[in-house]
Amino acid sequence: MKTMIYMVRHGDSPKTEGNERTRGLTDKGRSDANRITELLRNEEIDTFVSSPYTRAVLTIEELAQSLGKEVLVVEDLKEMMFSSEDKIISYKVLYPSLENMFSDPDFSLPGGESSRICQKRSIGILKEILKKYRGQKVVIGTHGIVMTLMMGYFDSQYDLDFLLHTSKPDIYRMEFNEEDLIGTERMWN
């Protein structure tokens, strides 16, 4: 029985307000969330699951509401923890560290988590989703690194280069037979 997973990377988010957990969407991010609603409205989505971070929830919330569904928030779908305080990490600090994060699965920023730990927690949730919602269509509101690590678990082409060429937002429809990835299609343009 086939299960469809729609990885929806969050829309544009300001790096100047709140912390990693609470920052929302920019005007562009909100506009793109409307486009996501239009793009996925007819996909007959059964279930919506999201990272607890505001920007991820807001990116899929309108679509869920338009279909009379709720967004189920799952803590372990949160973005990679870059520090112990959920503080916003600037791109100047993050981007030079990405190569280390992807080449050494045990590398982490001080107080943060490694890609190995992040992948383990997020894949655990994805496998639960594949089991619990078998045969359904599930949207996952997610983040760039977490999305890449989950997709990379099933197919090594989803690596740092892939991450650096994704957009905010982005959408990938993944087709599974049980836990076997059959195919992936990018839906955002």
Side-chain angles (χ1 to χ4, degrees), residues 173-187:
R173 180 173 52 205
M174 303 173 72
E175 183 177 340
F176 287 89
N177 183 8
E178 302 293 329
E179 287 186 14
D180 295 324
L181 179 63
I182 297 169
T184 303
E185 176 189 358
R186 184 175 190 221
M187 298 183 70

Side-chain angles (χ1 to χ4, degrees), residues 6-157:
Y6 297 77
M7 293 283 185
V8 179
R9 184 182 185 188
H10 67 80
D12 190 52
S13 180
K15 281 253 190 198
T16 56
E17 65 179 47
N19 61 33
E20 282 297 326
R21 189 171 288 270
T22 61
R23 63 187 171 103
L25 296 174
T26 62
D27 288 342
K28 180 185 180 316
R30 286 188 290 280
S31 175
D32 285 340
N34 294 337
R35 287 183 54 211
I36 288 168
T37 297
E38 293 308 312
L39 183 65
L40 297 180
R41 184 185 311 270
N42 296 320
E43 289 288 316
E44 301 177 0
I45 307 297
D46 299 294
T47 304
F48 292 83
V49 181
S50 181
S51 156
Y53 287 20
T54 302
R55 61 193 181 272
V57 173
L58 290 175
T59 300
I60 65 170
E61 188 172 56
E62 178 186 321
L63 173 61
Q65 290 174 350
S66 76
L67 298 173
K69 310 278 184 178
E70 291 185 28
V71 176
L72 307 171
V73 174
V74 177
E75 180 66 23
D76 278 345
L77 287 175
K78 66 188 174 190
E79 178 61 290
M80 176 184 277
M81 297 295 299
F82 302 116
S83 71
S84 58
E85 299 98 29
D86 265 342
K87 67 180 181 178
I88 294 174
I89 302 294
S90 73
Y91 291 125
K92 278 196 231 180
V93 172
L94 179 60
Y95 282 157
S97 302
L98 285 175
E99 190 170 324
N100 289 332
M101 290 175 183
F102 277 84
S103 64
D104 177 0
D106 295 312
F107 172 84
S108 66
L109 293 171
E113 69 182 338
S114 68
S115 59
R116 183 185 313 276
I117 291 171
C118 181
Q119 184 180 56
K120 183 178 180 180
R121 75 167 157 78
S122 58
I123 282 297
I125 297 301
L126 180 55
K127 286 182 176 184
E128 285 178 26
I129 289 169
L130 288 169
K131 185 176 180 181
K132 184 174 183 177
Y133 302 108
R134 189 172 149 233
Q136 294 188 24
K137 294 179 177 181
V138 181
V139 164
I140 298 179
T142 190
H143 306 272
I145 294 174
V146 170
M147 177 181 78
T148 302
L149 291 172
M150 285 192 286
M151 292 172 74
Y153 176 85
F154 297 98
D155 187 335
S156 63
Q157 74 172 313

